[in-house]
Amino acid sequence: MLPLEFKQQMQEILGEDEYQKFLKSYELSPNKGIRANRLKIDRDQLKELLPEIFEAQDIPWTPDGIYINPEERPGKQPGYYTGLYYPQEPSAMTPAQALDVEEGDLILDLCAAPGGKSTQIASKLGDNGSLIFNEIVKNRVGILAENVERMGIKNAVILNEHPERLIKNFKERFDKILVDAPCSGEGMFRKDSAVIDEYSPDRPESCSVKQSKILETVDKLLKPGGEIVYSTCTFSPLENELVIQDFLDKYDYELLDTGLEGINDVKVNIPNVRSEILEKTTRIWPQVNEGEGHFVAKLKKGGMPGRIKKNKNRNTNLKRAGKKDLTDYNNFRSKYIPEVDYRNLYIYQDKLINLPEAIGPEDLAGLKVHSAGLELGEFKKNRFEPSHSLAMSLKKDEFTNTYELSEDELWSYLKGEELKPETVLDRGWVLLCYDGYPVGFGKYSGTIKNKYPKGLRIYKK
Ligand SMILES: C[S@@+](CC[C@H](N)C(=O)[O-])C[C@H]1O[C@@H](n2cnc3c(N)ncnc32)[C@H](O)[C@@H]1O
């Protein structure tokens, strides 16, 4: 049952006719989508690989999104485990779509978990650029990191910080920032009735205070001339247009058109909001679009980018990897990944990490770092053991010893079982692939010893 106060608010915003259509949309089931991970595959290639049961149809507002049959479970398909796509609510694909991602950018996703939009930004950015994904809630960081790893992202640091704590290290550093703000979630009522249970009529007001505070912090983190995309999955003007209007009144920003295409608009009645804000921001209405409620705004900071002051922190646990430290890794590299090169190598405890190009160890000093870029592997006694993250970030032809799994073998592998291939392979590390895409490592010596991380193993299909 929709909350009464929510219904009254929607009636005021939409007017009686449109409100009735809006209410009717709650009789339909929510749409389900997946988004192609461009780091591995594009939408057309993905559609060819997907089973027919998906009934794949393009989502109009992103070049990567596909609607799928709502009965299907995309998290139970091989392509999920090879990181070819991310299951994502279709409207949730708009904020990262609105963010202008350019080669070489340093981008912050401030409210990142579980990582739908983070992984979308990474997919748009490719390898040339640097990403910081931050999540304030500690127990949400694990799932974010898991998604980042599965999608094969190489250039992201994952932090678990309160936004304000980032200012010391990253003052006016970011080219772009996504603020997918914590909100009252009114747009998710159809998809998830638990959100209705958590709702109270004063939620929009309290959320808007938090949202304005977050934007104040974001201003300090963004370069002059940089851009913010602000989004919520709620309908309340208090958390959407009014947060943006208030911010524009206080700070030197220009409101940009979101540039989103393929979205059907609805005329709304929101008192005390300037027409420019209604025109340039985007709302997704479920009665005229195949997606849940969402709001997106895009802002450009005034001023010209100046010189970035280098961070002087020295208190860091990351040590630059010297030639001597790298002997075992270099042996591994020349045998298995001779064409792959990492240039920003650091050691943390026994782990070898490649930091994103624009990030130095001093940038991470004093912060709660969950992962500092791509973990390549671990130094063990006289040998280097590659990590699962490395496996997921590679292309099949970048590894010299690979084995293509049958579907039965894939499920056995994901369960943690040993494999007994009929063909003879080269002894040592082997990159296991399905449909030509890596799913993890094994180690061959007559049989394939399973190196799929214990925490990721599945016990039934
Ligand atoms: C809408 S969710 C983010 C969803 C995510 N962007 C995605 O696409 O998967 C909002 C996130 O903001 C976090 N959050 C809550 N309070 C916050 C605060 N004061 N500052 C920053 N983030 C906060 C929540 O833990 C939550 O993960």
Side-chain angles (χ1 to χ4, degrees):
M1 271 261 289
L2 294 172
L4 184 65
E5 295 81 357
F6 167 72
K7 291 209 280 190
Q8 283 166 345
Q9 167 193 265
M10 299 318 294
Q11 202 166 14
E12 278 164 31
I13 295 177
L14 290 169
E16 190 54 33
D17 282 1
E18 195 62 38
Y19 172 63
Q20 290 306 326
K21 290 183 204 158
F22 174 77
L23 275 188
K24 268 222 148 325
S25 73
Y26 283 80
E27 293 167 17
L28 304 172
S29 36
N31 301 282
K32 225 169 173 178
I34 58 172
R35 179 177 44 72
N37 176 14
R38 271 191 238 166
L39 297 177
K40 295 178 188 264
I41 199 167
D42 68 24
R43 175 160 74 181
D44 289 339
Q45 293 166 323
L46 179 61
K47 282 198 293 196
E48 277 178 28
L49 272 188
L50 287 177
E52 277 163 24
I53 43 165
F54 270 33
E55 294 174 10
Q57 307 247 348
D58 292 353
I59 295 176
W61 46 80
T62 139
D64 307 317
I66 304 171
Y67 289 111
I68 59 165
N69 181 340
E71 305 300 317
E72 293 309 328
R73 297 167 77 190
K76 303 275 174 199
Q77 295 289 333
Y80 175 82
Y81 293 97
T82 47
L84 301 190
Y85 58 78
Y86 188 96
Q88 193 173 22
E89 194 284 304
S91 301
M93 299 178 194
T94 51
Q97 177 61 31
L99 195 73
D100 272 323
V101 168
E102 289 168 305
E103 235 185 80
D105 273 349
L106 173 61
I107 302 178
L108 169 66
D109 183 358
L110 186 62
C111 314
K117 288 150 198 116
S118 304
T119 55
Q120 189 176 358
I121 295 170
S123 155
K124 286 176 73 176
L125 181 65
D127 296 343
N128 281 327
S130 307
L131 297 158
I132 304 266
F133 299 153
N134 181 68
E135 169 54 44
I136 192 170
V137 178
K138 192 171 176 205
N139 65 14
R140 288 170 63 85
V141 179
I143 183 70
L144 169 65
E146 209 176 278
N147 285 326
V148 166
E149 179 179 70
R150 196 182 62 258
M151 306 300 270
I153 296 164
K154 296 185 209 155
N155 45 355
V157 166
I158 300 178
L159 300 178
N160 168 217
E161 275 299 350
H162 193 286
E164 279 174 31
R165 297 231 325 131
L166 301 178
I167 299 170
K168 186 163 174 257
N169 294 32
F170 289 103
K171 190 155 185 274
E172 299 202 330
R173 276 280 293 281
F174 293 100
D175 297 295
K176 318 273 158 68
I177 301 181
L178 177 69
V179 182
D180 186 35
C183 70
S184 61
E186 294 166 343
M188 293 297 126
F189 285 173
R190 181 169 72 169
K191 184 170 172 261
D192 185 359
S193 59
V195 185
I196 302 185
D197 301 336
E198 282 165 28
Y199 186 80
S200 68
D202 56 4
R203 265 309 305 270
E205 172 96 52
S206 63
C207 285
S208 75
V209 173
K210 201 191 255 189
Q211 290 150 352
S212 295
K213 191 120 194 56
I214 292 175
L215 281 177
E216 254 175 56
T217 304
V218 162
D219 173 60
K220 300 195 175 83
L221 296 168
L222 188 69
K223 264 185 189 167
E227 288 176 16
I228 302 173
V229 166
Y230 172 86
S231 59
T232 71
C233 59
T234 203
F235 292 112
S236 167
L238 276 180
E239 300 178 66
N240 294 328
E241 290 85 355
L242 288 162
V243 164
I244 296 300
Q245 178 160 288
D246 184 51
F247 183 73
L248 287 168
D249 289 346
K250 290 190 187 138
Y251 294 87
D252 175 21
Y253 278 75
E254 176 194 352
L255 185 65
L256 302 179
D257 201 295
T258 61
L260 290 164
E261 289 173 0
I263 296 169
N264 295 315
D265 201 11
V266 162
K267 212 171 151 21
V268 291
N269 171 33
I270 305 177
N272 307 322
V273 172
R274 292 193 291 277
S275 61
E276 183 209 26
I277 294 178
L278 294 176
E279 280 154 23
K280 291 189 171 168
T281 59
T282 301
R283 274 175 175 265
I284 299 167
W285 291 100
Q287 70 275 31
V288 290
N289 294 291
E290 314 260 304
E292 306 310 291
H294 237 85
F295 173 82
V296 185
K298 187 163 155 181
L299 304 143
K300 186 178 171 73
K301 186 169 177 171
M304 295 289 280
R307 249 173 62 105
I308 292 168
K309 282 198 207 110
K310 231 8 226 148
N311 227 319
K312 293 218 177 72
N313 292 323
R314 297 219 175 271
N315 182 14
T316 154
N317 298 322
L318 289 161
K319 171 182 160 235
R320 181 95 205 171
K323 212 167 162 197
K324 244 169 116 187
D325 302 312
L326 292 174
T327 311
D328 293 335
Y329 164 69
N330 281 332
N331 290 339
F332 171 88
R333 179 175 171 243
S334 54
K335 182 164 179 198
Y336 294 109
I337 47 171
E339 304 294 322
V340 180
D341 201 7
Y342 301 100
R343 290 163 180 261
N344 214 6
L345 292 173
Y346 285 83
I347 292 174
Y348 172 70
Q349 294 172 350
D350 289 329
K351 301 209 162 91
L352 182 64
I353 294 166
N354 194 57
L355 257 60
E357 57 186 352
I359 304 294
E362 64 286 351
D363 293 326
L364 306 179
L367 296 177
K368 279 185 243 151
V369 180
H370 183 278
S371 48
L374 180 64
E375 186 190 313
L376 301 179
E378 205 171 335
F379 293 102
K380 301 266 169 127
K381 211 168 184 274
N382 299 326
R383 68 192 161 89
F384 177 78
E385 188 152 325
S387 71
H388 183 60
S389 315
L390 176 66
M392 297 310 288
S393 73
L394 290 170
K395 300 208 165 40
K396 185 180 179 182
D397 61 9
E398 287 176 326
F399 204 81
T400 53
N401 194 24
T402 60
Y403 177 70
E404 188 67 26
L405 301 167
S406 67
E407 187 166 347
D408 283 346
E409 285 174 321
L410 171 73
W411 296 119
S412 298
Y413 176 70
L414 294 173
K415 284 181 202 156
E417 293 167 3
E418 189 179 67
L419 303 175
K420 299 185 175 76
E422 279 166 18
T423 49
V424 177
L425 308 174
D426 288 342
R427 289 176 89 83
W429 290 101
V430 50
L431 184 66
L432 303 170
C433 300
Y434 183 80
D435 271 341
Y437 297 94
V439 69
F441 281 125
K443 211 168 178 188
Y444 182 78
S445 55
T447 59
I448 299 176
K449 204 169 158 204
N450 197 312
K451 294 287 177 179
Y452 194 57
K454 291 203 168 65
L456 297 179
R457 291 179 184 175
I458 56 163
Y459 292 95
K460 51 182 184 291
K461 253 209 241 184

